[in-house]
Amino acid sequence: MLECPRCHQPVGAQAIACPHCHTVLKAHGHPGIMLYRAKGDEYLCDTCTYHEDDTCNFPQRPYAKECTLYQDKTQPTTVLKAYTLSRSSLVKTWLRRNGGWLVLLGLIVVSIAMVLSGR
């Protein structure tokens, strides 16, 4: 169970607002997106990775008290692993993309072979 940042009562993970004090917990219209809030007089931007590397385009920056994209720079970031494809799937994909060119190349080879054999 999560805890409400305002009244510290337990709330469900899918709750959009606290059932006790009605504090909004999720981004408006997006119940799956977490809404991060600053504690006290500090701003979220002071500890945000996106503010540090200057990739943040949030209009309230650098004085944001609430943000959905907040990434704490003291926490390890999660890195998405690239998909690894087998050789057979890579070959199939290449053939699917270049099938037309292969047919055209085959016709050229056959026509050259016919011309050379007709001599």
Side-chain angles (χ1 to χ4, degrees), residues 73-95:
K73 65 183 176 184
T74 62
Q75 299 297 319
T77 57
T78 56
V79 178
L80 297 176
K81 293 183 180 178
Y83 289 106
T84 54
L85 299 174
S86 65
R87 286 188 191 266
S88 63
S89 63
L90 288 173
V91 169
K92 287 177 187 176
T93 303
W94 188 86
L95 288 172

Side-chain angles (χ1 to χ4, degrees), residues 13-65:
Q14 295 300 320
I16 296 172
C18 175
H20 308 284
C21 67
H22 305 292
T23 299
V24 176
L25 302 172
K26 305 282 183 175
H28 178 73
H30 303 281
I33 299 176
M34 191 68 168
L35 182 63
Y36 297 95
R37 295 176 189 276
K39 295 177 182 174
D41 292 334
E42 51 189 55
Y43 298 106
L44 285 176
C45 298
D46 296 336
T47 59
C48 184
T49 303
Y50 301 118
H51 178 69
E52 186 175 87
D53 66 9
D54 203 29
T55 57
C56 180
N57 59 3
F58 192 51
Q60 281 76 23
R61 178 182 174 214
Y63 306 110
K65 290 283 199 174

